[in-house]
């Protein structure tokens, strides 16, 4: 998010965000003026309720896995725009590569006849035996 872009934010959106935070974290926090101002600052940067939900879910997973401290969900920490942006970006990262797409089997034409293939196998076996004999002499 760019700090130069501001989005209109109303009291309803702020209330919804705070209510969602309380619901997802199991807290019952009063929406005081200082908290309202922090919500306003974050939401005017263009973050949505879906973004909030994603960051909270990500932080909860990290806390359960003991990779983050429970203080990461503290409202005053969560609502810092730089931290929120980093956590949101990390929550969207793909940590495992995409599974390879199955490729359609392409039938390759035989490059040589069965007789030529057999001669090639016999030649390879002869070279293998020759190499094996040379290694025994060392």
């Amino acid at each position: 998010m760019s700090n130069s872009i501001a989005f209109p934010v109303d009291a309803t959106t702020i209330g919804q965000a705070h209510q969602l935070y309380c619901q997802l974290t199991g807290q019952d926090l009063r929406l005081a003026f200082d908290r309202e101002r922090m919500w306003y600052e974050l939401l005017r940067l263009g973050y949505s309720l879906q973004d909030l939900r994603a960051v909270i879910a990500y932080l909860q997973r990290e806390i359960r896995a003991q990779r983050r401290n429970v203080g990461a969900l503290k409202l005053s920490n969560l609502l810092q725009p730089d931290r929120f942006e980093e956590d949101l970006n990390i929550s969207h990262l793909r940590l495992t590569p995409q599974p390879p797409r199955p490729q359609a089997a392409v039938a390759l034409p035989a490059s040589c006849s069965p007789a030529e293939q057999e001669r090639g196998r016999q030649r390879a076996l002869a070279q293998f035996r020759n190499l094996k004999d040379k290694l025994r002499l060392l």
Side-chain angles (χ1 to χ4, degrees):
M1 293 278 134
S2 172
N3 290 339
S4 62
I5 300 173
F7 293 91
V9 178
D10 59 13
T12 303
T13 307
I14 292 171
Q16 290 171 340
H18 188 75
Q19 184 179 9
L20 179 62
Y21 169 81
C22 290
Q23 175 189 351
L24 293 175
T25 61
Q27 298 183 68
D28 186 21
L29 298 176
R30 191 172 52 84
L31 184 56
F33 177 77
D34 58 332
R35 291 179 180 150
E36 190 173 345
R37 181 69 185 176
M38 288 189 298
W39 281 114
Y40 171 81
E41 291 298 328
L42 185 73
L43 294 170
R44 79 179 184 90
L45 293 173
Y47 295 111
S48 67
L49 296 180
Q50 291 81 12
D51 295 335
L52 176 63
R53 184 182 300 275
V55 168
I56 291 173
Y58 160 72
L59 290 173
Q60 288 172 331
R61 281 192 309 272
E62 291 294 296
I63 290 166
R64 276 189 223 100
Q66 297 180 344
R67 291 186 292 259
R68 294 289 287 267
N69 186 300
V70 73
L73 277 175
K74 184 177 174 184
L75 190 58
S76 59
N77 290 334
L78 179 74
L79 295 182
Q80 292 181 25
D82 290 345
R83 286 186 184 179
F84 190 89
E85 180 181 22
E86 288 175 6
D87 289 334
L88 180 62
N89 289 337
I90 291 171
S91 74
H92 295 305
L93 286 179
R94 182 183 311 263
L95 299 178
T96 56
Q98 284 185 322
R101 289 188 229 146
Q103 296 181 359
V106 177
L108 298 175
S111 59
C112 53
S113 70
E116 290 173 319
Q117 288 178 354
E118 184 58 33
R119 282 194 299 273
R121 276 198 273 302
Q122 292 304 321
R123 190 170 45 246
L125 282 172
Q127 289 175 348
F128 178 69
R129 284 189 207 106
N130 187 17
L131 179 61
K132 194 174 170 184
D133 288 342
K134 286 181 182 179
L135 288 174
R136 282 188 196 156
L137 295 176
L138 296 177

